[in-house]
mmCIF file of all heavy atoms in Angstrom:
data_model
loop_
_atom_site.group_PDB
_atom_site.id
_atom_site.type_symbol
_atom_site.label_atom_id
_atom_site.label_comp_id
_atom_site.label_asym_id
_atom_site.label_seq_id
_atom_site.Cartn_x
_atom_site.Cartn_y
_atom_site.Cartn_z
ATOM 1 N N ASN A 1426 3.077 23.832 -17.310
ATOM 2 C CA ASN A 1426 2.477 23.332 -18.594
ATOM 3 C C ASN A 1426 1.802 24.423 -19.456
ATOM 4 O O ASN A 1426 1.745 24.536 -20.595
ATOM 5 C CB ASN A 1426 1.592 22.216 -18.291
ATOM 6 C CG ASN A 1426 1.481 21.172 -19.490
ATOM 7 O OD1 ASN A 1426 2.117 21.370 -20.608
ATOM 8 N ND2 ASN A 1426 0.592 20.284 -19.291
ATOM 9 N N TYR A 1429 3.245 26.395 -22.374
ATOM 10 C CA TYR A 1429 3.401 25.700 -23.666
ATOM 11 C C TYR A 1429 2.154 25.592 -24.475
ATOM 12 O O TYR A 1429 1.943 25.081 -25.465
ATOM 13 C CB TYR A 1429 4.008 24.281 -23.459
ATOM 14 C CG TYR A 1429 5.432 24.337 -22.977
ATOM 15 C CD1 TYR A 1429 5.581 24.264 -21.510
ATOM 16 C CD2 TYR A 1429 6.509 24.653 -23.639
ATOM 17 C CE1 TYR A 1429 6.783 24.318 -20.896
ATOM 18 C CE2 TYR A 1429 7.706 24.759 -23.104
ATOM 19 C CZ TYR A 1429 7.890 24.602 -21.701
ATOM 20 O OH TYR A 1429 9.059 24.742 -21.071
ATOM 21 N N ALA A 1430 0.952 26.104 -23.784
ATOM 22 C CA ALA A 1430 -0.255 25.999 -24.455
ATOM 23 C C ALA A 1430 -0.355 26.910 -25.687
ATOM 24 O O ALA A 1430 0.071 28.018 -25.708
ATOM 25 C CB ALA A 1430 -1.434 26.415 -23.555
ATOM 26 N N GLN A 1431 -0.627 26.238 -26.856
ATOM 27 C CA GLN A 1431 -0.645 27.037 -28.091
ATOM 28 C C GLN A 1431 -1.993 27.483 -28.439
ATOM 29 O O GLN A 1431 -2.239 28.676 -28.596
ATOM 30 C CB GLN A 1431 -0.073 26.163 -29.250
ATOM 31 C CG GLN A 1431 1.392 25.708 -28.943
ATOM 32 C CD GLN A 1431 1.845 24.708 -30.041
ATOM 33 O OE1 GLN A 1431 1.228 24.387 -30.928
ATOM 34 N NE2 GLN A 1431 3.183 24.418 -29.948
ATOM 35 N N GLY A 1432 -2.869 26.435 -28.721
ATOM 36 C CA GLY A 1432 -4.203 26.739 -29.459
ATOM 37 C C GLY A 1432 -4.911 27.926 -28.952
ATOM 38 O O GLY A 1432 -5.192 28.844 -29.440
ATOM 39 N N GLY A 1433 -5.168 27.885 -27.525
ATOM 40 C CA GLY A 1433 -5.880 29.002 -26.940
ATOM 41 C C GLY A 1433 -6.791 28.642 -25.850
ATOM 42 O O GLY A 1433 -6.696 27.570 -25.147
ATOM 43 N N GLU A 1497 -11.346 24.802 -33.291
ATOM 44 C CA GLU A 1497 -10.411 23.676 -33.110
ATOM 45 C C GLU A 1497 -11.319 22.517 -33.248
ATOM 46 O O GLU A 1497 -12.707 22.529 -33.217
ATOM 47 C CB GLU A 1497 -9.690 23.625 -31.754
ATOM 48 C CG GLU A 1497 -8.494 24.669 -31.747
ATOM 49 C CD GLU A 1497 -7.730 24.657 -30.491
ATOM 50 O OE1 GLU A 1497 -8.281 24.198 -29.479
ATOM 51 O OE2 GLU A 1497 -6.700 25.176 -30.477
ATOM 52 N N GLY A 1574 -1.029 20.874 -11.638
ATOM 53 C CA GLY A 1574 -0.986 20.271 -12.979
ATOM 54 C C GLY A 1574 -1.121 18.879 -13.036
ATOM 55 O O GLY A 1574 -1.538 18.134 -12.152
ATOM 56 N N GLY A 1575 -0.724 18.194 -14.291
ATOM 57 C CA GLY A 1575 -1.167 16.870 -14.594
ATOM 58 C C GLY A 1575 0.018 15.880 -14.547
ATOM 59 O O GLY A 1575 1.028 16.172 -13.813
ATOM 60 N N THR A 1576 -0.072 14.872 -15.395
ATOM 61 C CA THR A 1576 0.687 13.727 -15.209
ATOM 62 C C THR A 1576 1.408 13.279 -16.563
ATOM 63 O O THR A 1576 1.743 12.131 -16.785
ATOM 64 C CB THR A 1576 -0.087 12.469 -14.776
ATOM 65 O OG1 THR A 1576 -1.115 12.300 -15.765
ATOM 66 C CG2 THR A 1576 -0.778 12.640 -13.459
ATOM 67 N N GLY A 1577 1.700 14.347 -17.416
ATOM 68 C CA GLY A 1577 2.230 14.134 -18.725
ATOM 69 C C GLY A 1577 3.473 13.144 -18.644
ATOM 70 O O GLY A 1577 3.770 12.386 -19.501
ATOM 71 N N GLN A 1578 4.219 13.399 -17.621
ATOM 72 C CA GLN A 1578 5.556 12.604 -17.521
ATOM 73 C C GLN A 1578 5.414 11.099 -17.143
ATOM 74 O O GLN A 1578 6.297 10.319 -17.102
ATOM 75 C CB GLN A 1578 6.480 13.220 -16.465
ATOM 76 C CG GLN A 1578 7.107 14.563 -16.925
ATOM 77 C CD GLN A 1578 8.027 14.443 -18.053
ATOM 78 O OE1 GLN A 1578 8.852 13.465 -18.103
ATOM 79 N NE2 GLN A 1578 7.923 15.203 -19.015
ATOM 80 N N LEU A 1579 4.027 10.730 -17.219
ATOM 81 C CA LEU A 1579 3.941 9.143 -17.065
ATOM 82 C C LEU A 1579 4.375 8.521 -18.374
ATOM 83 O O LEU A 1579 4.582 7.309 -18.324
ATOM 84 C CB LEU A 1579 2.461 8.870 -16.886
ATOM 85 C CG LEU A 1579 1.813 9.179 -15.501
ATOM 86 C CD1 LEU A 1579 0.256 8.717 -15.566
ATOM 87 C CD2 LEU A 1579 2.561 8.291 -14.501
ATOM 88 N N TYR A 1580 4.390 9.279 -19.446
ATOM 89 C CA TYR A 1580 4.693 8.698 -20.786
ATOM 90 C C TYR A 1580 5.950 9.098 -21.392
ATOM 91 O O TYR A 1580 6.413 10.337 -21.147
ATOM 92 C CB TYR A 1580 3.507 9.072 -21.684
ATOM 93 C CG TYR A 1580 2.335 8.327 -21.234
ATOM 94 C CD1 TYR A 1580 1.376 8.986 -20.358
ATOM 95 C CD2 TYR A 1580 2.005 7.075 -21.708
ATOM 96 C CE1 TYR A 1580 0.211 8.226 -19.951
ATOM 97 C CE2 TYR A 1580 0.815 6.306 -21.315
ATOM 98 C CZ TYR A 1580 -0.036 7.151 -20.420
ATOM 99 O OH TYR A 1580 -1.169 6.369 -19.947
ATOM 100 N N TYR A 1582 6.558 9.712 -24.485
ATOM 101 C CA TYR A 1582 6.290 10.700 -25.427
ATOM 102 C C TYR A 1582 5.104 11.629 -24.939
ATOM 103 O O TYR A 1582 4.033 11.111 -24.847
ATOM 104 C CB TYR A 1582 5.940 10.162 -26.781
ATOM 105 C CG TYR A 1582 7.038 9.291 -27.379
ATOM 106 C CD1 TYR A 1582 6.796 7.980 -27.624
ATOM 107 C CD2 TYR A 1582 8.250 9.748 -27.558
ATOM 108 C CE1 TYR A 1582 7.863 7.152 -28.175
ATOM 109 C CE2 TYR A 1582 9.284 9.048 -27.992
ATOM 110 C CZ TYR A 1582 9.068 7.753 -28.266
ATOM 111 O OH TYR A 1582 10.142 6.976 -28.773
ATOM 112 N N THR A 1583 5.546 12.861 -24.581
ATOM 113 C CA THR A 1583 4.421 13.806 -24.097
ATOM 114 C C THR A 1583 4.686 15.153 -24.596
ATOM 115 O O THR A 1583 5.902 15.542 -24.833
ATOM 116 C CB THR A 1583 4.514 13.815 -22.565
ATOM 117 O OG1 THR A 1583 3.593 14.707 -22.133
ATOM 118 C CG2 THR A 1583 5.908 13.939 -21.984
ATOM 119 N N THR A 1584 3.623 15.980 -24.748
ATOM 120 C CA THR A 1584 3.910 17.357 -25.028
ATOM 121 C C THR A 1584 4.143 18.199 -23.638
ATOM 122 O O THR A 1584 4.408 19.304 -23.874
ATOM 123 C CB THR A 1584 2.495 17.937 -25.563
ATOM 124 O OG1 THR A 1584 1.455 17.848 -24.652
ATOM 125 C CG2 THR A 1584 2.164 17.262 -26.937
ATOM 126 N N ASN A 1585 4.126 17.543 -22.583
ATOM 127 C CA ASN A 1585 4.167 18.349 -21.276
ATOM 128 C C ASN A 1585 5.722 18.504 -20.955
ATOM 129 O O ASN A 1585 6.540 17.592 -21.241
ATOM 130 C CB ASN A 1585 3.608 17.573 -20.164
ATOM 131 C CG ASN A 1585 2.045 17.463 -20.256
ATOM 132 O OD1 ASN A 1585 1.505 17.001 -19.310
ATOM 133 N ND2 ASN A 1585 1.489 17.829 -21.393
ATOM 134 N N PRO A 1586 5.999 19.464 -20.171
ATOM 135 C CA PRO A 1586 7.384 19.656 -19.726
ATOM 136 C C PRO A 1586 7.724 18.705 -18.517
ATOM 137 O O PRO A 1586 6.874 18.032 -18.008
ATOM 138 C CB PRO A 1586 7.470 21.089 -19.157
ATOM 139 C CG PRO A 1586 5.974 21.358 -18.683
ATOM 140 C CD PRO A 1586 5.102 20.607 -19.719
ATOM 141 N N ALA A 1589 5.724 18.021 -15.059
ATOM 142 C CA ALA A 1589 4.362 17.420 -15.007
ATOM 143 C C ALA A 1589 4.352 16.052 -14.440
ATOM 144 O O ALA A 1589 4.137 15.112 -15.131
ATOM 145 C CB ALA A 1589 3.626 17.461 -16.327
ATOM 146 N N PHE A 1609 -8.559 8.047 -17.933
ATOM 147 C CA PHE A 1609 -8.843 8.855 -19.115
ATOM 148 C C PHE A 1609 -7.698 9.845 -19.332
ATOM 149 O O PHE A 1609 -7.507 10.923 -18.722
ATOM 150 C CB PHE A 1609 -10.193 9.633 -18.915
ATOM 151 C CG PHE A 1609 -11.338 8.776 -18.848
ATOM 152 C CD1 PHE A 1609 -12.046 8.582 -17.723
ATOM 153 C CD2 PHE A 1609 -11.801 7.974 -19.985
ATOM 154 C CE1 PHE A 1609 -13.079 7.772 -17.687
ATOM 155 C CE2 PHE A 1609 -12.808 7.148 -19.963
ATOM 156 C CZ PHE A 1609 -13.466 6.982 -18.780
ATOM 157 N N VAL A 1610 -6.781 9.356 -20.287
ATOM 158 C CA VAL A 1610 -5.621 10.157 -20.677
ATOM 159 C C VAL A 1610 -5.760 10.645 -21.964
ATOM 160 O O VAL A 1610 -6.096 9.881 -22.883
ATOM 161 C CB VAL A 1610 -4.290 9.286 -20.505
ATOM 162 C CG1 VAL A 1610 -3.121 10.066 -20.985
ATOM 163 C CG2 VAL A 1610 -4.162 8.744 -19.185
ATOM 164 N N GLN A 1611 -5.657 11.990 -22.250
ATOM 165 C CA GLN A 1611 -5.796 12.465 -23.656
ATOM 166 C C GLN A 1611 -4.415 12.473 -24.295
ATOM 167 O O GLN A 1611 -3.459 13.008 -23.776
ATOM 168 C CB GLN A 1611 -6.265 13.857 -23.621
ATOM 169 C CG GLN A 1611 -6.559 14.488 -24.969
ATOM 170 C CD GLN A 1611 -7.375 15.793 -24.858
ATOM 171 O OE1 GLN A 1611 -6.747 16.801 -24.586
ATOM 172 N NE2 GLN A 1611 -8.675 15.721 -25.033
ATOM 173 N N PHE A 1612 -4.439 11.809 -25.520
ATOM 174 C CA PHE A 1612 -3.190 11.859 -26.331
ATOM 175 C C PHE A 1612 -3.466 12.888 -27.390
ATOM 176 O O PHE A 1612 -4.436 12.708 -28.099
ATOM 177 C CB PHE A 1612 -2.954 10.398 -26.933
ATOM 178 C CG PHE A 1612 -2.449 9.495 -25.923
ATOM 179 C CD1 PHE A 1612 -3.449 8.789 -25.091
ATOM 180 C CD2 PHE A 1612 -1.135 9.274 -25.587
ATOM 181 C CE1 PHE A 1612 -3.061 7.834 -24.070
ATOM 182 C CE2 PHE A 1612 -0.691 8.408 -24.599
ATOM 183 C CZ PHE A 1612 -1.656 7.703 -23.816
ATOM 184 N N HIS A 1613 -2.655 13.919 -27.428
ATOM 185 C CA HIS A 1613 -2.759 14.796 -28.531
ATOM 186 C C HIS A 1613 -2.417 14.207 -29.874
ATOM 187 O O HIS A 1613 -1.387 13.540 -29.964
ATOM 188 C CB HIS A 1613 -1.978 16.085 -28.192
ATOM 189 C CG HIS A 1613 -2.346 17.255 -29.165
ATOM 190 N ND1 HIS A 1613 -2.056 17.303 -30.557
ATOM 191 C CD2 HIS A 1613 -3.016 18.450 -28.751
ATOM 192 C CE1 HIS A 1613 -2.643 18.511 -30.932
ATOM 193 N NE2 HIS A 1613 -3.171 19.093 -29.878
ATOM 194 N N PRO A 1614 -3.307 14.418 -30.870
ATOM 195 C CA PRO A 1614 -2.966 13.621 -32.121
ATOM 196 C C PRO A 1614 -1.656 13.945 -32.776
ATOM 197 O O PRO A 1614 -1.068 13.125 -33.378
ATOM 198 C CB PRO A 1614 -4.226 13.931 -33.004
ATOM 199 C CG PRO A 1614 -5.221 14.448 -32.094
ATOM 200 C CD PRO A 1614 -4.584 15.060 -30.917
ATOM 201 N N THR A 1615 -1.318 15.254 -32.726
ATOM 202 C CA THR A 1615 -0.244 15.705 -33.532
ATOM 203 C C THR A 1615 0.924 16.331 -32.805
ATOM 204 O O THR A 1615 0.914 17.577 -32.597
ATOM 205 C CB THR A 1615 -0.719 16.619 -34.583
ATOM 206 O OG1 THR A 1615 -1.379 17.781 -33.887
ATOM 207 C CG2 THR A 1615 -1.655 16.003 -35.605
ATOM 208 N N ALA A 1616 1.916 15.685 -32.390
ATOM 209 C CA ALA A 1616 3.150 16.156 -31.873
ATOM 210 C C ALA A 1616 4.313 15.766 -32.792
ATOM 211 O O ALA A 1616 4.222 14.732 -33.502
ATOM 212 C CB ALA A 1616 3.454 15.386 -30.432
ATOM 213 N N ARG A 1624 8.950 16.006 -28.425
ATOM 214 C CA ARG A 1624 7.624 15.804 -28.967
ATOM 215 C C ARG A 1624 6.817 17.171 -28.884
ATOM 216 O O ARG A 1624 5.911 17.306 -28.054
ATOM 217 C CB ARG A 1624 6.843 14.828 -28.296
ATOM 218 C CG ARG A 1624 7.352 13.416 -28.543
ATOM 219 C CD ARG A 1624 7.009 12.897 -29.860
ATOM 220 N NE ARG A 1624 7.866 11.909 -30.346
ATOM 221 C CZ ARG A 1624 7.556 10.712 -30.850
ATOM 222 N NH1 ARG A 1624 6.278 10.364 -30.985
ATOM 223 N NH2 ARG A 1624 8.459 9.787 -31.243
ATOM 224 N N PHE A 1625 7.249 18.096 -29.710
ATOM 225 C CA PHE A 1625 6.694 19.415 -29.724
ATOM 226 C C PHE A 1625 5.288 19.431 -30.257
ATOM 227 O O PHE A 1625 5.046 18.890 -31.318
ATOM 228 C CB PHE A 1625 7.685 20.423 -30.564
ATOM 229 C CG PHE A 1625 7.174 21.771 -30.703
ATOM 230 C CD1 PHE A 1625 7.378 22.609 -29.579
ATOM 231 C CD2 PHE A 1625 6.627 22.184 -31.886
ATOM 232 C CE1 PHE A 1625 6.960 23.889 -29.737
ATOM 233 C CE2 PHE A 1625 6.240 23.527 -31.937
ATOM 234 C CZ PHE A 1625 6.391 24.334 -30.828
ATOM 235 N N LEU A 1626 4.391 20.219 -29.545
ATOM 236 C CA LEU A 1626 2.990 20.218 -30.071
ATOM 237 C C LEU A 1626 2.874 20.880 -31.314
ATOM 238 O O LEU A 1626 3.346 22.056 -31.524
ATOM 239 C CB LEU A 1626 2.213 21.014 -28.923
ATOM 240 C CG LEU A 1626 0.699 21.032 -29.056
ATOM 241 C CD1 LEU A 1626 0.046 19.787 -28.936
ATOM 242 C CD2 LEU A 1626 0.136 21.962 -27.949
ATOM 243 N N ILE A 1627 2.089 20.277 -32.253
ATOM 244 C CA ILE A 1627 1.709 20.886 -33.419
ATOM 245 C C ILE A 1627 0.105 21.218 -33.268
ATOM 246 O O ILE A 1627 -0.696 20.250 -33.417
ATOM 247 C CB ILE A 1627 1.969 20.050 -34.756
ATOM 248 C CG1 ILE A 1627 3.431 19.619 -34.723
ATOM 249 C CG2 ILE A 1627 1.596 20.906 -36.055
ATOM 250 C CD1 ILE A 1627 4.436 20.698 -35.028
ATOM 251 N N SER A 1628 -0.114 22.399 -32.993
ATOM 252 C CA SER A 1628 -1.466 22.845 -32.483
ATOM 253 C C SER A 1628 -2.659 22.273 -33.263
ATOM 254 O O SER A 1628 -2.571 22.371 -34.560
ATOM 255 C CB SER A 1628 -1.660 24.251 -32.335
ATOM 256 O OG SER A 1628 -2.996 24.633 -31.969
ATOM 257 N N GLU A 1629 -3.612 21.882 -32.606
ATOM 258 C CA GLU A 1629 -4.985 21.564 -33.273
ATOM 259 C C GLU A 1629 -5.494 22.638 -34.082
ATOM 260 O O GLU A 1629 -6.150 22.484 -35.136
ATOM 261 C CB GLU A 1629 -5.920 21.135 -32.208
ATOM 262 C CG GLU A 1629 -7.231 20.596 -32.748
ATOM 263 C CD GLU A 1629 -7.903 19.703 -31.818
ATOM 264 O OE1 GLU A 1629 -7.177 18.934 -30.958
ATOM 265 O OE2 GLU A 1629 -9.119 19.548 -31.835
ATOM 266 N N ARG A 1632 -5.423 22.246 -37.845
ATOM 267 C CA ARG A 1632 -6.500 21.593 -38.497
ATOM 268 C C ARG A 1632 -7.765 22.438 -38.437
ATOM 269 O O ARG A 1632 -8.572 22.455 -39.400
ATOM 270 C CB ARG A 1632 -6.854 20.187 -37.758
ATOM 271 C CG ARG A 1632 -5.746 19.175 -38.188
ATOM 272 C CD ARG A 1632 -5.952 17.921 -37.419
ATOM 273 N NE ARG A 1632 -5.335 17.980 -36.095
ATOM 274 C CZ ARG A 1632 -5.870 17.670 -34.938
ATOM 275 N NH1 ARG A 1632 -7.139 17.128 -34.982
ATOM 276 N NH2 ARG A 1632 -5.294 17.831 -33.796
ATOM 277 N N ARG A 1659 -10.470 14.519 -30.209
ATOM 278 C CA ARG A 1659 -9.094 14.117 -30.145
ATOM 279 C C ARG A 1659 -8.887 12.718 -30.101
ATOM 280 O O ARG A 1659 -7.928 12.068 -30.689
ATOM 281 C CB ARG A 1659 -8.340 14.779 -28.975
ATOM 282 C CG ARG A 1659 -7.997 16.116 -29.331
ATOM 283 C CD ARG A 1659 -7.136 16.738 -28.256
ATOM 284 N NE ARG A 1659 -6.998 18.136 -28.643
ATOM 285 C CZ ARG A 1659 -6.460 19.122 -27.922
ATOM 286 N NH1 ARG A 1659 -6.210 18.874 -26.658
ATOM 287 N NH2 ARG A 1659 -6.385 20.262 -28.251
ATOM 288 N N ALA A 1663 -6.617 10.682 -32.702
ATOM 289 C CA ALA A 1663 -5.314 9.903 -32.285
ATOM 290 C C ALA A 1663 -5.299 8.375 -32.487
ATOM 291 O O ALA A 1663 -4.384 7.942 -32.997
ATOM 292 C CB ALA A 1663 -5.210 10.061 -30.716
ATOM 293 N N ALA A 1716 2.844 12.334 -34.595
ATOM 294 C CA ALA A 1716 2.338 11.278 -34.019
ATOM 295 C C ALA A 1716 1.664 11.644 -32.645
ATOM 296 O O ALA A 1716 1.896 12.702 -32.234
ATOM 297 C CB ALA A 1716 3.300 10.106 -33.754
ATOM 298 N N PRO A 1717 0.678 10.745 -32.181
ATOM 299 C CA PRO A 1717 0.190 11.079 -30.851
ATOM 300 C C PRO A 1717 1.137 11.149 -29.687
ATOM 301 O O PRO A 1717 2.133 10.396 -29.737
ATOM 302 C CB PRO A 1717 -0.952 10.034 -30.624
ATOM 303 C CG PRO A 1717 -1.270 9.527 -32.118
ATOM 304 C CD PRO A 1717 0.112 9.624 -32.659
ATOM 305 N N ALA A 1718 0.886 11.978 -28.733
ATOM 306 C CA ALA A 1718 1.700 12.071 -27.404
ATOM 307 C C ALA A 1718 0.804 12.411 -26.359
ATOM 308 O O ALA A 1718 -0.212 13.145 -26.561
ATOM 309 C CB ALA A 1718 2.815 13.160 -27.712
ATOM 310 N N ALA A 1719 1.225 11.857 -25.155
ATOM 311 C CA ALA A 1719 0.357 12.191 -24.002
ATOM 312 C C ALA A 1719 0.272 13.780 -23.839
ATOM 313 O O ALA A 1719 1.305 14.295 -23.829
ATOM 314 C CB ALA A 1719 0.892 11.490 -22.723
ATOM 315 N N HIS A 1720 -0.925 14.168 -23.455
ATOM 316 C CA HIS A 1720 -1.053 15.558 -23.419
ATOM 317 C C HIS A 1720 -1.819 16.139 -22.173
ATOM 318 O O HIS A 1720 -1.582 17.122 -21.661
ATOM 319 C CB HIS A 1720 -1.938 16.070 -24.668
ATOM 320 C CG HIS A 1720 -2.074 17.480 -24.896
ATOM 321 N ND1 HIS A 1720 -0.952 18.324 -25.044
ATOM 322 C CD2 HIS A 1720 -3.264 18.108 -25.115
ATOM 323 C CE1 HIS A 1720 -1.519 19.521 -25.277
ATOM 324 N NE2 HIS A 1720 -2.815 19.490 -25.331
ATOM 325 N N TYR A 1721 -2.881 15.314 -21.711
ATOM 326 C CA TYR A 1721 -3.693 15.849 -20.676
ATOM 327 C C TYR A 1721 -4.312 14.845 -19.888
ATOM 328 O O TYR A 1721 -4.838 13.742 -20.470
ATOM 329 C CB TYR A 1721 -4.885 16.746 -21.332
ATOM 330 C CG TYR A 1721 -5.666 17.565 -20.347
ATOM 331 C CD1 TYR A 1721 -5.039 18.893 -19.904
ATOM 332 C CD2 TYR A 1721 -6.757 17.097 -19.691
ATOM 333 C CE1 TYR A 1721 -5.897 19.621 -18.975
ATOM 334 C CE2 TYR A 1721 -7.440 17.805 -18.753
ATOM 335 C CZ TYR A 1721 -7.027 19.112 -18.438
ATOM 336 O OH TYR A 1721 -7.696 19.805 -17.527
ATOM 337 N N MET A 1722 -4.446 14.980 -18.594
ATOM 338 C CA MET A 1722 -5.109 13.902 -17.708
ATOM 339 C C MET A 1722 -6.505 14.435 -17.388
ATOM 340 O O MET A 1722 -6.737 15.606 -16.801
ATOM 341 C CB MET A 1722 -4.277 13.795 -16.503
ATOM 342 C CG MET A 1722 -5.019 13.172 -15.200
ATOM 343 S SD MET A 1722 -5.612 11.542 -15.668
ATOM 344 C CE MET A 1722 -4.174 10.536 -15.532
ATOM 345 N N MET A 1723 -7.536 13.661 -17.967
ATOM 346 C CA MET A 1723 -8.873 14.172 -17.627
ATOM 347 C C MET A 1723 -9.218 13.960 -16.217
ATOM 348 O O MET A 1723 -10.032 14.706 -15.590
ATOM 349 C CB MET A 1723 -9.897 13.361 -18.447
ATOM 350 C CG MET A 1723 -10.331 14.096 -19.739
ATOM 351 S SD MET A 1723 -8.974 14.182 -20.990
ATOM 352 C CE MET A 1723 -8.926 12.475 -21.558
ATOM 353 N N GLU A 1744 -5.604 21.309 -14.122
ATOM 354 C CA GLU A 1744 -5.523 19.885 -14.596
ATOM 355 C C GLU A 1744 -5.413 18.856 -13.413
ATOM 356 O O GLU A 1744 -5.825 17.757 -13.541
ATOM 357 C CB GLU A 1744 -4.196 19.800 -15.401
ATOM 358 C CG GLU A 1744 -4.194 18.389 -16.185
ATOM 359 C CD GLU A 1744 -3.072 18.181 -17.200
ATOM 360 O OE1 GLU A 1744 -2.413 19.241 -17.506
ATOM 361 O OE2 GLU A 1744 -2.798 17.099 -17.603
ATOM 362 N N ASN A 1754 -13.148 12.792 -22.133
ATOM 363 C CA ASN A 1754 -12.274 13.400 -23.139
ATOM 364 C C ASN A 1754 -12.456 14.988 -23.145
ATOM 365 O O ASN A 1754 -13.498 15.436 -23.403
ATOM 366 C CB ASN A 1754 -12.666 12.879 -24.535
ATOM 367 C CG ASN A 1754 -11.783 13.262 -25.553
ATOM 368 O OD1 ASN A 1754 -10.556 13.545 -25.365
ATOM 369 N ND2 ASN A 1754 -12.305 13.394 -26.742
ATOM 370 N N ARG A 1755 -11.400 15.675 -22.888
ATOM 371 C CA ARG A 1755 -11.471 17.138 -22.866
ATOM 372 C C ARG A 1755 -11.553 17.795 -24.248
ATOM 373 O O ARG A 1755 -10.862 17.340 -25.208
ATOM 374 C CB ARG A 1755 -10.252 17.683 -22.238
ATOM 375 C CG ARG A 1755 -10.258 19.240 -22.004
ATOM 376 C CD ARG A 1755 -8.979 19.635 -21.411
ATOM 377 N NE ARG A 1755 -7.796 19.352 -22.114
ATOM 378 C CZ ARG A 1755 -7.130 20.126 -23.036
ATOM 379 N NH1 ARG A 1755 -7.630 21.215 -23.393
ATOM 380 N NH2 ARG A 1755 -6.189 19.708 -23.615
ATOM 381 N N LEU A 1756 -12.522 18.669 -24.390
ATOM 382 C CA LEU A 1756 -12.651 19.454 -25.602
ATOM 383 C C LEU A 1756 -11.450 20.351 -25.723
ATOM 384 O O LEU A 1756 -11.136 21.062 -24.696
ATOM 385 C CB LEU A 1756 -13.924 20.210 -25.578
ATOM 386 C CG LEU A 1756 -14.398 21.038 -26.814
ATOM 387 C CD1 LEU A 1756 -14.684 20.100 -27.998
ATOM 388 C CD2 LEU A 1756 -15.674 21.866 -26.534
ATOM 389 N N ALA A 1757 -10.940 20.574 -26.853
ATOM 390 C CA ALA A 1757 -9.787 21.339 -27.089
ATOM 391 C C ALA A 1757 -9.975 22.819 -26.512
ATOM 392 O O ALA A 1757 -11.026 23.381 -26.612
ATOM 393 C CB ALA A 1757 -9.438 21.457 -28.510
ATOM 394 N N SER A 1758 -8.868 23.238 -25.812
ATOM 395 C CA SER A 1758 -8.975 24.679 -25.344
ATOM 396 C C SER A 1758 -9.899 24.992 -24.150
ATOM 397 O O SER A 1758 -10.092 26.170 -23.758
ATOM 398 C CB SER A 1758 -9.110 25.676 -26.440
ATOM 399 O OG SER A 1758 -7.907 25.759 -27.202
ATOM 400 N N ASN A 1759 -10.517 23.900 -23.591
ATOM 401 C CA ASN A 1759 -11.377 24.067 -22.386
ATOM 402 C C ASN A 1759 -10.564 24.141 -21.046
ATOM 403 O O ASN A 1759 -11.111 24.472 -20.093
ATOM 404 C CB ASN A 1759 -12.463 22.921 -22.319
ATOM 405 C CG ASN A 1759 -13.747 23.288 -23.001
ATOM 406 O OD1 ASN A 1759 -13.913 24.474 -23.430
ATOM 407 N ND2 ASN A 1759 -14.714 22.415 -22.994
ATOM 408 N N SER A 1760 -9.225 23.767 -21.150
ATOM 409 C CA SER A 1760 -8.551 23.656 -19.830
ATOM 410 C C SER A 1760 -8.230 24.946 -19.337
ATOM 411 O O SER A 1760 -8.337 25.281 -18.056
ATOM 412 C CB SER A 1760 -7.358 22.832 -20.011
ATOM 413 O OG SER A 1760 -6.667 23.142 -21.212
#
Side-chain angles (χ1 to χ4, degrees):
N1426 204 3
Y1429 300 92
Q1431 294 177 357
E1497 283 180 347
T1576 58
Q1578 286 295 320
L1579 284 179
Y1580 292 90
Y1582 300 122
T1583 175
T1584 60
N1585 291 191
F1609 295 112
V1610 177
Q1611 184 169 79
F1612 290 85
H1613 195 289
T1615 57
R1624 290 285 157 133
F1625 179 76
L1626 183 66
I1627 307 290
S1628 176
E1629 187 153 331
R1632 281 175 282 133
R1659 276 186 188 167
H1720 184 59
Y1721 191 86
M1722 166 55 78
M1723 265 73 70
E1744 191 173 348
N1754 185 33
R1755 178 179 63 92
L1756 184 66
S1758 290
N1759 265 357
S1760 46

